[in-house]
Amino acid sequence: MKSKQPKTTLKRSVAFCGLGLMLASGSALADFAPLSMDSPYAFGDWEGSRTQLKNDGVDFQVNYTMESASNFSGGYNQSTSARYTDQWAFGTTLDLEKLLNWNDTQFQTTITSRNGQDLTQYINDPRSGGLSSVQEVWGRGQTWRLTQFWLNKGFFDHAVEVKAGRVTVGEDFDSFDSNFQNLAFGSGQAGNWRGDRWYNWPVSQWGGRVKFNFTPELFFQVGFYNQTPSNYDTGNGFRLDTSPTLGNMVPVELGWKPAFGADKLPGNYRVGMYYSSVRGDNYSSYNEGQYGEDNHSYGGYLLLQQQLTAMEGDNTRGLGVTVQAVMNDQKTSKTDNYQSVSFVWKGPFDARPKDEIGVGAARIHVNNDYGNMLRKTNQENGVNDYDNPTYLPIQSGSEYNYEIYYNAQVTNWLKLRPNLQYVASPGAVSEVKNAFVGGISANINF
């Protein structure tokens, strides 16, 4: 799943050049000067032209996310060297109703670039790899990608929406916003523990979804996504063919987004399942170096998110809770179940109303049949010593991830998030010591 690291210097140079050209094209910046504390953009408002373009139906997004982490103690390799990874995202949203008089129609294109190195690989035994990641923005290939290229059309006064193009599953299904740095607490968890079937950001594929909005709060949606594993490969980020197609994935989801009480406390409740026609090895059928059966894949998920309090009637501040769970089939999935709970307190201090504090705990369980397959392999190879380089570490039981962070809204365009993480039983390998990790992430809207 992890590929050879590309040279990052050239990539960053290209990215900064692109940003420089965009800055230059904005003529003189006035309304919100560059680096203004109050501006939503680090590059300012281009003499008001950026806001005017957005009002006219053209919205530009340039976003930079970085995540660094250092292993304070524990893990497989107890090096304290820090690792740094980042992601650039360049996007444009077109409101085609405003631009072309196409009723209730939107177009989105986004190009992403991921760079850097990951600390997680040092925490886990390299022979087995890990489960979660202490730097969620790393992974899925360190490369440039066409992440979004889709059209969304509403029908019957927005009662039905049809979206199609190059899409990521997690932007529509099992979706919410998160500021945690550990992968186990973000959006699209169904794809994190079945990434060979469910392609999350920034990996896109041809597909789409039909969404039925029964009320402003209640909806049902079904998707259809092409399964082409080469989409993961470094250098294939702009490859648009579907070869080799192994099958298709179909997720369905029922969602409810209520607002409770006089303070209209927002909620986000989703329950869904998926089925993939791609066949995979049945771990329980392993014997003498081969699998006797292969099966289709399926699973389900639950997302319960609710703000619990408001502060002086302001529902943008207060305490919220998120509960997540994923169940995957026990025939073809390495991780067969996952659960997490997290709390986020937005605007904890009157002097810092846009800051937030988050704390979370997650459990990721390895399929027992997968662990038994590893044991059989070691027996067949005549290896039973963990320190033998050819030994396959037994992944059994669960890995546990914990995180606490403080998100500081330094300006309207800059967020800084120091965090502390604890990984217990990394990779669900009992011989690997628990790891204590410190990190810091930042998000900049240009």
Side-chain angles (χ1 to χ4, degrees):
M1 191 175 159
K2 297 179 182 177
S3 55
K4 183 179 179 181
Q5 299 294 319
K7 294 182 179 179
T8 60
T9 303
L10 178 59
K11 291 188 173 187
R12 288 176 178 150
S13 298
V14 171
F16 278 114
C17 286
L19 293 174
L21 290 173
M22 183 175 289
L23 177 61
S25 68
S27 63
L29 311 181
D31 277 6
F32 280 121
L35 307 183
S36 166
M37 296 282 289
D38 297 325
S39 174
Y41 316 113
F43 283 169
D45 200 27
W46 312 345
E47 286 190 327
S49 60
R50 186 167 185 173
T51 296
Q52 185 60 52
L53 282 169
K54 186 174 182 178
N55 292 337
D56 291 340
V58 181
D59 182 20
F60 297 109
Q61 304 100 35
V62 180
N63 179 271
Y64 177 75
T65 301
M66 62 74 65
E67 294 176 349
S68 63
S70 180
N71 187 11
F72 293 161
S73 66
Y76 182 83
N77 182 339
Q78 299 184 39
S79 170
T80 58
S81 297
R83 294 294 181 267
Y84 177 98
T85 188
D86 62 25
Q87 173 186 270
W88 286 96
F90 305 88
T92 302
T93 305
L94 301 180
D95 185 335
L96 298 183
E97 183 169 357
K98 293 180 178 180
L99 294 171
L100 300 175
N101 202 30
W102 293 2
N103 183 53
D104 196 4
T105 307
Q106 305 82 36
F107 171 78
Q108 176 72 42
T109 182
T110 305
I111 294 173
T112 59
S113 173
R114 286 189 167 182
N115 312 275
Q117 295 182 326
D118 181 32
L119 182 72
T120 309
Q121 61 185 311
Y122 298 93
I123 294 173
N124 296 291
D125 190 317
R127 296 169 295 180
S128 64
L131 299 179
S132 188
S133 171
V134 297
Q135 292 164 276
E136 58 84 25
V137 81
W138 192 89
R140 306 278 181 173
Q142 308 301 94
T143 189
W144 288 86
R145 293 188 182 278
L146 178 61
T147 295
Q148 294 177 304
F149 192 85
W150 51 255
L151 192 73
N152 186 78
K153 178 75 173 77
F155 299 92
F156 311 114
D157 195 23
H158 209 67
V160 179
E161 294 178 61
V162 178
K163 179 179 182 179
R166 294 289 296 190
V167 289
T168 64
V169 185
E171 67 191 66
D172 291 304
F173 293 85
D174 196 17
S175 176
F176 70 100
D177 293 328
S178 172
N179 283 321
F180 284 92
Q181 183 169 308
N182 191 293
L183 182 67
F185 303 108
S187 180
Q189 290 297 327
N192 291 337
W193 318 123
R194 201 64 220 251
D196 56 344
R197 300 293 186 271
W198 176 307
Y199 298 174
N200 270 342
W201 181 285
V203 180
S204 66
Q205 66 265 273
W206 290 110
R209 61 103 175 93
V210 179
K211 184 178 183 182
F212 301 92
N213 297 303
F214 302 123
T215 70
E217 297 81 24
L218 185 65
F219 65 88
F220 174 81
Q221 57 184 346
V222 56
F224 187 87
Y225 300 92
N226 175 258
Q227 304 270 267
T228 304
S230 59
N231 284 326
Y232 273 122
D233 296 344
T234 298
N236 279 358
F238 291 86
R239 180 178 174 180
L240 301 182
D241 65 29
T242 58
S243 176
T245 293
L246 300 184
N248 299 284
M249 188 189 77
V250 178
V252 296
E253 180 181 88
L254 179 65
W256 182 42
K257 304 184 77 171
F260 291 111
D263 292 327
K264 299 188 180 300
L265 300 176
N268 180 19
Y269 298 82
R270 300 179 185 228
V271 58
M273 60 179 298
Y274 72 88
Y275 171 83
S276 173
S277 63
V278 179
R279 304 188 74 88
D281 294 328
N282 184 326
Y283 294 121
S284 66
S285 70
Y286 178 85
N287 189 44
E288 296 182 353
Q290 60 185 1
Y291 297 93
E293 298 179 24
D294 58 12
N295 300 92
H296 298 301
S297 306
Y298 56 89
Y301 60 90
L302 182 69
L303 168 62
L304 308 175
Q305 189 173 41
Q306 180 62 53
Q307 186 161 330
L308 303 175
T309 68
M311 298 184 68
E312 299 180 352
D314 182 0
N315 67 4
T316 65
R317 300 175 62 191
L319 180 66
V321 61
T322 301
V323 176
Q324 299 187 79
V326 175
M327 294 290 292
N328 291 319
D329 73 86
Q330 293 185 322
K331 295 179 179 179
T332 68
S333 178
K334 176 180 176 179
T335 51
D336 57 359
N337 68 83
Y338 149 93
Q339 304 84 33
S340 74
V341 59
S342 60
F343 294 90
V344 174
W345 185 8
K346 298 181 178 180
F349 311 112
D350 290 338
R352 305 289 306 171
K354 294 183 179 181
D355 290 1
E356 67 179 41
I357 300 171
V359 58
R363 169 185 177 270
I364 310 160
H365 185 263
V366 174
N367 184 356
N368 291 335
D369 288 336
Y370 183 83
N372 290 334
M373 178 272 293
L374 295 172
R375 292 185 182 94
K376 286 184 179 180
T377 302
N378 285 331
Q379 291 172 2
E380 292 167 0
N381 294 335
V383 181
N384 56 19
D385 180 7
Y386 177 79
D387 293 326
N388 189 315
T390 63
Y391 179 85
L392 296 180
I394 306 302
Q395 294 182 276
S396 178
S398 301
E399 173 184 296
Y400 296 87
N401 289 267
Y402 307 89
E403 180 179 345
I404 182 170
Y405 72 81
Y406 187 90
N407 181 55
Q409 188 79 47
V410 181
T411 72
N412 283 345
W413 46 267
L414 171 62
K415 298 177 182 179
L416 288 178
R417 287 185 295 277
N419 62 83
L420 294 174
Q421 301 178 50
Y422 188 75
V423 184
S425 187
V429 176
S430 61
E431 291 87 352
V432 180
K433 296 181 179 179
N434 299 344
F436 182 46
V437 176
I440 186 168
S441 63
N443 185 272
I444 305 174
N445 285 315
F446 289 93

